[in-house]
Amino acid sequence: MIVDNDIDNDGICDIDEISGCIYETACNYNPNATTDDGSCMWVGICETCENGEVVDCEVCDIEENCHETIQIGEQVWMTENLNVTHYNNGEEIPNITNNGDWVGLTTGAYCDYDNNPTYSETYGRLYNWYTVDDDRGICPEGWHVPSDEEIKELEMFLGMSEEEANNEGWRGTDEGSQLAGNSELWSSVYSTNDFVNNPEFGTSGFNSLPAGYRVSSNGYYDSMGNFGYFWSSSGSSSKGAWYRGLNCNYSYVYRLNYDKHYGFSVRCLGD
């Protein structure tokens, strides 16, 4: 508000002093304020800002990160990849940076793409499948890593036939484009890209991102900007587990049973 409302005859206020919240990290920061009026609202644990107000998070994980959600059909999904570094009981998930150590693991582990935590702020972290299968859990309470069948349900709601959903390899028509989001993050080898340029791009609200992956055989990082992969909780053999993949140049969805040592993204589904 204006502290001194002394107005000249021309209708212009001579006093420039404006009272409000002057702290940039506050939820209701007023960039025009010159003096603090004590009204600042601060975000607390499991809270976030929404239109200048402090509100409870839709979903809060073990590390107090807020996650937004979207209902697709009868399912409710997180709209971000998981980025926690602890199991739900508070125990740390090992962060494996050495390539050789990553290759030989048969227990849970995570990594940041290129061992750079900055990437994880946008894309989430990469996990081997043993993390997904750990009884301590990595999704917040009331959430879980989806099974292969639950991901099929999502794909079929978006238009994939049941026959296609049960196949391996590239399946469907434009379901991959529907599942993706943030077109500026996806690179394109071809100028006539059917993935990003597809009119259905991003329409589901699922917001899958090209987080890349970590290779099981050598621990190298690959394909950020080009590929996005996420695990299911369904492991069909001592070595393999089902996952889904999106490619920046195809509007389809890839399904395969693959090496559990790979580092893929994790997306959580409501119970």
Side-chain angles (χ1 to χ4, degrees):
M1 69 178 187
I2 298 175
V3 175
D4 189 335
N5 61 354
D6 184 14
I7 307 296
D8 286 343
N9 293 331
D10 59 5
I12 298 175
C13 179
D14 290 333
I15 305 301
D16 293 327
E17 189 173 358
I18 298 175
S19 180
C21 177
I22 63 174
Y23 298 98
E24 294 185 10
T25 55
C27 192
N28 61 328
Y29 165 61
N30 180 357
N32 297 316
T34 57
T35 61
D36 182 47
D37 64 0
S39 68
C40 289
M41 294 183 291
W42 304 98
V43 173
I45 295 173
C46 293
E47 294 178 328
T48 187
C49 287
E50 187 174 295
N51 298 322
E53 299 287 336
V54 177
V55 297
D56 291 335
C57 294
E58 290 188 57
V59 181
C60 186
D61 63 34
I62 185 66
E63 293 167 11
E64 299 166 3
N65 299 306
C66 290
H67 298 273
E68 295 183 359
T69 65
I70 184 84
Q71 181 161 347
I72 305 175
E74 296 183 359
Q75 298 175 319
V76 179
W77 292 87
M78 287 188 185
T79 59
E80 303 164 292
N81 292 333
L82 202 65
N83 63 354
V84 295
T85 61
H86 294 77
Y87 293 106
N88 284 343
N89 67 353
E91 294 180 17
E92 290 187 358
I93 305 170
N95 177 17
I96 305 301
T97 58
N98 180 272
N99 291 343
D101 292 341
W102 181 270
V103 170
L105 282 175
T106 55
T107 55
Y110 84 89
C111 57
D112 303 292
Y113 190 93
D114 272 349
N115 297 324
N116 184 346
T118 301
Y119 287 129
S120 298
E121 296 173 7
T122 299
Y123 296 97
R125 293 187 159 90
L126 302 175
Y127 303 87
N128 66 15
W129 189 82
Y130 301 102
T131 317
V132 171
D133 195 44
D134 196 291
D135 290 338
R136 290 170 286 184
I138 56 172
C139 288
E141 184 177 351
W143 296 78
H144 63 278
V145 180
S147 68
D148 182 53
E149 292 299 318
E150 288 173 320
I151 302 175
K152 289 180 189 177
E153 180 181 339
L154 169 66
E155 294 167 326
M156 288 187 288
F157 179 81
L158 297 179
M160 191 179 294
S161 70
E162 183 174 2
E163 180 180 1
E164 286 181 299
N166 289 324
N167 288 338
E168 296 184 19
W170 292 109
R171 304 128 61 244
T173 54
D174 58 13
E175 291 80 12
S177 292
Q178 291 184 58
L179 289 170
N182 286 278
S183 59
E184 69 278 3
L185 298 179
W186 291 89
S187 62
S188 175
V189 177
Y190 305 107
S191 58
T192 56
N193 181 287
D194 187 46
F195 180 76
V196 171
N197 294 336
N198 191 294
E200 294 299 312
F201 182 90
T203 54
S204 74
F206 187 84
N207 193 39
S208 185
L209 301 180
Y213 60 92
R214 193 171 190 179
V215 183
S216 65
S217 59
N218 55 27
Y220 294 171
Y221 296 94
D222 199 6
S223 295
M224 177 176 279
N226 295 309
F227 295 94
Y229 298 96
F230 60 97
W231 285 117
S232 80
S233 61
S234 304
S236 66
S237 68
S238 60
K239 184 179 180 181
W242 293 104
Y243 78 92
R244 295 301 189 276
L246 304 183
N247 181 304
C248 66
N249 285 302
Y250 300 99
S251 61
Y252 323 117
V253 182
Y254 199 79
R255 173 178 178 259
L256 196 65
N257 185 276
Y258 222 46
D259 192 333
K260 296 175 182 178
H261 296 86
Y262 266 83
F264 290 156
S265 301
V266 169
R267 187 61 69 93
C268 298
L269 173 66
D271 292 348

